[in-house]
Structure formats: structure tokens, C-alpha cells
């Protein structure tokens, strides 16, 4: 992978990781669509992607640095006390519950999931699935808004009728965590399915995005601990890859700031239609190109 390609992948990953369009799906598809020489089956490809994800996680950690300090303190306080006494402690435990499904699936299906990273057509198909999952989540959310009799209000007022992250049940947190586990498939967006899961759990769009971003941080760092050492087992340009990770972090920071403002009143629909269209077009190009 050349320096320009590495930096492009870093920018792409940072922008698409938090936008609900699947960074992994794009990372698997773009090299094949652009006829790049390197192969996604190369042993260093997945560790490289994980390194880029660490750049994204660093950006999220910076944005939520004060919240994470409070979450970590609250987790140990509640654990030592044996009960939850405030919203911060509840959020800490909700995040723990939500992290478990993806962690278990990643450990036990690591080899099978890595094989999908070398299959661009599978990524295109999952990208289409990702789009319809988000469109379905928004359809169910509109039904919930009608049931709650908030359809006549402004979008901001509609959103205020739903919950903040600290108020959802542990069952709902497990549901969102199960959605996050789907994002181990290239083409399924972590933020897309977890925000969609948050909507099904009754969260406001902005709160679903916040819970999604908080939930992503520990699982990305855990993947980094497992995968990054593999980069040093083969001769790869570490300096170039680190530069790409820094670029990914900058792009992720800007993306997160935009999305948190967008979801004050915005919906997942535009991203759902984009994913469905991008997946179908990519599948056609991969199938019928010379």
C-alpha cells in the first residue's frame, strides 16, 4: 500500500466509521473498485484497519474525555458498593452490558469474520442490508412517534418526547450491544445499527448517537490490543500507517461533531438510502466489470 493509498484509507475510515455508512464495507470495497494492487486477504490488512479504528477511538475518547472519567469512576463505585445510585453509575453499567455481545462474537468467530474482509461482494451485499436496517429502524420510530401522539410537534419537540441514554433498561442496552455485534460484518455500520437499536429502545436520535459513540470506544480499543501486534510481524510501513491513523482520528472528530448536531432533528433515512444504492452499484460493478 502506497502512502497516498494509506492516507486515503485513513481519511475514508475516519469519515465513514461514525457516519452510519460502514467504514469496513467501504474499506473492503474501495481497493477492489479502484483496482489497487494490494489484497484484502493480506495478513496485515485487518490490523491496518484496526489501527485506523484506534485513531477513531482516540477522537471519541477526546470528545467524551470528561464523561469517560466520570463513567470509569462510577463503574468502580457501583461495583464496589453492589448497587447503582445515580445516572452516571447506571450509564457505566449499561455500557458494560452493551459491550459484551460484540466481545463474545469477536472472540469466537474471529477467523470466520476475517475471511469476509477478503470478499468485496459480501461487503456490497451487507451494505445493502445495512441500508434497509436503518430504513426499517426509522419506519418503526415513526410508528412510535404516532403512538406517542407527537407527530404534530416540531422535530426537536418530537425528540424530547423520547429518552436519554441513562434511562433505558439493561435489556435495551443488551439489544443495542447485539446490534453492535452485527458491525463485525463488513458492510454493516456500527454506528448505523447501534443508533437504529437505540431508536428501537426509545432513545432520542442524538442520545442514540451518543450511546453508540460511547459504546464503540471500548470494543475498538480491545480489538487494537488483539490485532495491532500483528502489524509488527511483517515488514510494513508503520510510519505511513500511523500517519493514516492520525488522519482517521481528525476525520472522525469532525464527523462526530457534525453528527451530534445533525441528530438533534435529523434521521437515518438519507444514510439508509445511500448504503442501499452504494451496495447495489458496487455489487453490479464487481459482478459485471471486465
Amino acid at each position: 500500500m502506497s502512502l497516498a493509498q494509506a492516507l486515503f484509507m485513513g481519511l475514508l475510515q475516519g469519515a465513514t466509521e461514525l457516519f452510519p455508512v460502514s467504514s469496513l464495507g467501504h474499506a473492503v470495497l474501495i481497493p477492489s473498485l479502484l483496482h489497487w494492487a494490494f489484497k484484502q486477504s493480506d495478513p496485515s490488512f485487518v490490523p491496518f484497519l484496526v489501527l485506523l479504528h484506534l485513531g477513531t477511538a482516540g477522537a471519541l475518547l477526546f470528545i467524551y474525555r470528561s464523561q469517560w472519567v466520570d463513567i470509569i469512576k462510577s463503574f468502580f463505585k457501583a461495583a464496589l458498593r453492589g448497587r447503582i445510585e445515580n445516572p452516571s453509575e447506571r450509564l457505566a453499567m449499561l455500557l458494560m452490558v452493551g459491550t459484551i455481545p460484540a466481545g463474545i462474537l469477536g472472540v469466537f468467530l474471529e477467523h470466520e469474520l476475517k475471511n469476509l474482509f477478503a470478499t468485496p461482494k459480501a461487503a456490497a451485499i451487507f451494505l445493502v442490508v445495512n441500508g434497509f436496517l436503518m430504513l426499517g429502524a426509522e419506519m418503526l420510530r415513526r410508528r412510535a412517534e404516532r403512538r406517542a401522539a407527537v407527530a404534530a410537534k416540531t422535530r426537536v419537540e418530537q425528540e424530547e418526547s423520547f429518552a436519554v441514554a441513562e434511562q433505558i433498561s439493561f435489556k435495551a442496552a443488551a439489544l443495542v450491544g447485539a446490534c453492535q455485534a452485527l458491525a463485525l460484518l463488513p458492510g454493516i455500520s456500527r454506528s448505523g445499527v447501534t443508533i437504529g437499536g437505540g431508536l428501537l429502545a426509545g432513545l432520542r436520535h442524538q442520545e442514540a448517537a451518543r450511546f453508540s459513540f460511547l459504546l464503540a470506544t471500548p470494543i475498538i480499543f480491545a480489538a487494537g490490543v488483539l490485532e495491532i501486534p500483528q502489524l509488527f510481524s511483517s515488514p510494513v510501513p508503520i510510519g505511513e500507517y500511523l500517519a493514516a491513523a492520525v488522519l482517521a482520528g481528525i476525520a472522525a472528530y469532525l464527523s462526530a461533531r457534525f453528527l451530534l448536531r445533525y441528530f438533534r432533528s435529523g434521521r437515518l433515512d438519507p444514510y439508509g438510502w445511500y448504503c442501499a444504492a452504494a451496495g447495489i452499484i458496487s455489487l453490479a460493478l464487481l459482478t459485471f466489470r471486465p
Side-chain angles (χ1 to χ4, degrees), residues 51 56 115 163 175 179-180 196 247 254 273:
L51 181 62
T56 301
N115 289 336
L175 169 65
C179 291
Q180 179 173 236
L247 188 58
L254 297 175
W273 288 117

Side-chain angles (χ1 to χ4, degrees), residues 198-232:
L199 297 182
L200 296 180
L203 290 175
R204 303 170 189 173
H205 280 76
Q206 190 178 48
E207 284 294 296
R210 179 172 74 99
F211 191 70
S212 169
F213 296 164
L214 289 172
L215 196 61
T217 308
I219 202 73
I220 291 175
F221 277 119
V225 171
L226 294 174
E227 294 290 343
I228 295 304
Q230 296 185 34
L231 279 177
F232 299 94

Side-chain angles (χ1 to χ4, degrees), residues 141 148-150 153 155-163 202 204:
R141 177 50 172 264
V150 296
K153 298 181 180 179
R155 281 291 300 130
V156 174
E157 290 175 326
Q158 283 180 332
E159 289 297 293
E160 290 174 352
S161 301
F162 293 89
R204 303 170 189 173

Side-chain angles (χ1 to χ4, degrees), residues 7-284:
L7 293 178
F8 177 82
M9 292 291 285
L11 180 62
L12 179 72
Q13 196 284 325
T16 57
E17 169 65 19
L18 300 182
F19 277 87
V21 295
S22 180
S23 63
L24 288 179
H26 283 73
V28 173
L29 285 169
I30 291 296
S32 293
L33 293 175
L34 297 181
H35 302 283
W36 287 357
F38 75 88
K39 300 296 182 182
Q40 296 94 326
S41 56
D42 188 282
S44 67
F45 184 64
V46 172
F48 169 65
L49 292 182
V50 173
L51 181 62
L52 298 184
H53 278 73
L54 286 178
T56 301
L60 291 175
L61 195 60
F62 179 77
I63 291 172
Y64 293 110
R65 57 192 181 278
S66 59
Q67 286 191 43
W68 271 113
V69 171
D70 192 34
I71 287 168
I72 293 170
K73 288 180 179 178
S74 298
F75 175 83
F76 286 106
K77 286 180 180 178
L80 292 173
R81 190 189 307 117
R83 64 181 183 277
I84 297 170
E85 292 187 349
N86 58 59
S88 293
E89 293 176 359
R90 183 176 178 81
L91 178 60
M93 294 302 172
L94 288 169
L95 290 171
M96 181 192 71
V97 170
T99 301
I100 292 172
I104 293 174
L105 187 62
V107 169
F108 287 101
L109 296 180
E110 178 184 9
H111 178 71
E112 289 77 6
L113 291 170
K114 281 184 177 180
N115 289 336
L116 292 174
F117 283 62
T119 312
K121 286 185 179 180
I125 293 170
F126 283 129
L127 196 60
V128 176
V129 173
N130 181 66
F132 284 108
L133 285 175
M134 289 190 289
L135 292 171
E138 283 292 356
M139 180 184 68
L140 294 173
R141 177 50 172 264
R142 287 183 171 90
R143 289 181 181 177
E145 290 170 357
R146 290 193 293 270
R147 287 196 300 269
V150 296
K153 298 181 180 179
T154 66
R155 281 291 300 130
V156 174
E157 290 175 326
Q158 283 180 332
E159 289 297 293
E160 290 174 352
S161 301
F162 293 89
V164 298
E166 290 83 352
Q167 295 174 334
I168 64 173
S169 67
F170 285 96
K171 182 179 178 179
L175 169 65
V176 178
C179 291
Q180 179 173 236
L182 293 175
L184 295 169
L185 301 169
I188 302 296
S189 166
R190 182 194 313 276
S191 59
V193 293
T194 51
I195 291 172
L199 297 182
L200 296 180
L203 290 175
R204 303 170 189 173
H205 280 76
Q206 190 178 48
E207 284 294 296
R210 179 172 74 99
F211 191 70
S212 169
F213 296 164
L214 289 172
L215 196 61
T217 308
I219 202 73
I220 291 175
F221 277 119
V225 171
L226 294 174
E227 294 290 343
I228 295 304
Q230 296 185 34
L231 279 177
F232 299 94
S233 63
S234 58
V236 295
I238 296 297
E240 295 180 5
Y241 286 8
L242 287 174
V246 171
L247 188 58
I250 295 171
Y253 175 84
L254 297 175
S255 298
R257 289 298 188 192
F258 169 81
L259 288 169
L260 288 171
R261 290 194 300 272
Y262 170 80
F263 280 123
R264 291 174 185 171
S265 59
R267 295 185 184 272
L268 288 171
D269 296 301
Y271 304 108
W273 288 117
Y274 165 80
C275 288
I280 291 170
I281 293 170
S282 297
L283 188 60

